[in-house]
Amino acid sequence: MLTTGKAILDVANEHNFAVPAFNISDWAMFKGIVEISEETNAPLIVAIHPDEVAHIGREMVAGIIERAHRSSVPIAIHWDHGATYQQALQAIQYGFTSVMIDASMKPFDENLAITRKVTESAHILGVSVEGELGTIGGNDTYAEGGSDTIIYTDPDDAVTYVEQTGVDSLAIAIGTFHGMYPANMKPELKLDLLKEIKGRVGIPLVLHGGSGNPDDEIREAARTGINKINISTDIKVAYHNKMREVLGNDPKTREPNAIQPACIAAMNEVAAQKIELFGAAGKASLY
């Protein structure tokens, strides 16, 4: 059931829940995430950052698409944090059904112009587009990483941006952080800002980051306007911490079938909790 980001998020928008967009960076992670989504009967967005695409290769993207066609739940393949128009075209050529153009660090007019250009081209080919307005903090190498600064999304700008770009979904900054939340900062979502933006633009809204934010705030956000939540750090930490444990227990362990099952199980425990928290469990039946 390979489909587009718009097809998945429009239903989530109508029924007030959020779809997890899990970032994967190897085949075992991807296989595990699809299996837990099928087990919980939840729609899935497979997010792959350009750095991750470079790591896994175009050939694996083809395999991901093939597996998505055979899935019992709807799946979109999403190019996460594309930085240029050329990257968006590359994603479309690879077979992605959803692309993000992140020009949030550029001046507003430049962000608007490049997003509109991507949207015009992608929509001709039936590919969904996510834009971003405002910036979240980050201490990893993705997106606007390297800064503790959060520039909250302005509702007036959001209205103009959506109207003039035609994006299908919009990532907003309301108090989240790429990577682990800094110890010296208190995580807090501006839920009133979320509700104001949602009331004015209407389209599916996206939350990037979220590691360290309280579950009750994430749960409320997923029921009051956020329809897609990106999850990368939390599942990767669970996956690789378990891998370190397995390898440390026996230095002679080398076969993937002896290493990865426990790692996938640890990752999926976290993924299942996110699926439930976002209100996505069982929602594949709506499609």
Side-chain angles (χ1 to χ4, degrees):
M1 293 179 66
L2 179 66
T3 188
T4 65
K6 176 176 172 57
I8 288 180
L9 295 182
D10 282 353
V11 173
N13 194 17
E14 180 182 356
H15 294 274
N16 301 311
F17 68 93
V19 177
F22 291 114
N23 278 81
I24 60 92
S25 51
D26 66 35
W27 183 260
M29 289 186 71
F30 165 69
K31 183 172 179 287
I33 285 298
V34 172
E35 288 171 353
I36 194 63
S37 298
E38 291 178 329
E39 182 181 323
T40 57
N41 198 34
L44 169 64
I45 295 175
V46 177
I48 316 176
H49 186 277
D51 290 352
E52 292 167 326
V53 174
H55 172 68
I56 64 176
R58 181 174 184 171
E59 294 77 10
M60 184 173 145
V61 174
I64 289 171
I65 292 168
E66 180 181 345
R67 176 63 178 90
H69 276 299
R70 297 187 288 104
S71 176
S72 62
V73 299
I75 296 179
I77 313 299
H78 178 72
W79 183 275
D80 186 33
H81 286 288
T84 65
Y85 176 73
Q86 289 71 26
Q87 280 193 351
L89 294 183
Q90 182 182 16
I92 294 169
Q93 290 168 349
Y94 281 16
F96 282 73
T97 61
S98 176
V99 299
M100 179 191 185
I101 176 64
D102 181 4
S104 60
M105 298 294 285
K106 297 182 181 297
F108 178 77
D109 288 345
E110 289 184 35
N111 184 358
L112 192 153
I114 188 174
T115 303
R116 180 168 55 222
K117 184 176 180 181
V118 169
T119 302
E120 289 172 349
S121 296
H123 281 179
I124 291 172
L125 298 169
V127 174
S128 307
V129 178
E130 172 188 332
E132 180 168 346
L133 197 57
T135 62
I136 74 175
N139 51 26
D140 57 17
T141 59
Y142 289 176
E144 56 268 36
S147 172
D148 287 349
T149 302
I150 299 174
I151 302 175
Y152 294 98
T153 304
D154 180 272
D156 290 334
D157 286 346
V159 172
T160 302
Y161 184 85
V162 170
E163 288 179 348
Q164 295 193 22
T165 63
V167 290
D168 302 294
S169 60
L170 176 65
I172 59 173
I174 57 171
T176 53
F177 206 89
H178 277 294
M180 300 306 296
Y181 219 96
N184 64 331
M185 295 175 64
K186 178 185 177 181
E188 182 178 5
L189 296 183
K190 291 186 176 295
L191 295 171
D192 288 344
L193 177 59
L194 163 61
K195 293 171 185 176
E196 180 180 358
I197 294 170
K198 186 68 171 191
R200 296 185 64 182
V201 302
I203 67 171
L205 298 179
V206 179
L207 195 66
H208 287 249
S211 299
N213 291 87
D215 279 357
D216 59 341
E217 289 186 353
I218 297 293
R219 182 181 295 105
E220 184 175 353
R223 288 153 180 77
T224 55
I226 294 294
N227 301 118
K228 171 178 173 281
I229 302 178
N230 287 31
I231 301 295
S232 180
T233 299
D234 286 341
I235 60 170
K236 288 175 180 173
V237 167
Y239 182 78
H240 289 108
N241 279 351
K242 177 57 70 172
M243 186 174 292
R244 292 183 184 97
E245 179 185 326
V246 171
L247 293 171
N249 287 340
D250 183 358
K252 296 181 181 179
T253 300
R254 62 183 181 276
E255 294 297 335
N257 285 342
I259 298 169
Q260 291 178 325
C263 305
I264 295 169
M267 176 189 71
N268 279 355
E269 183 177 347
V270 174
Q273 187 268 336
K274 300 296 184 184
I275 290 168
E276 184 67 32
L277 180 67
F278 301 167
K283 295 301 196 302
S285 60
L286 296 172
Y287 295 83

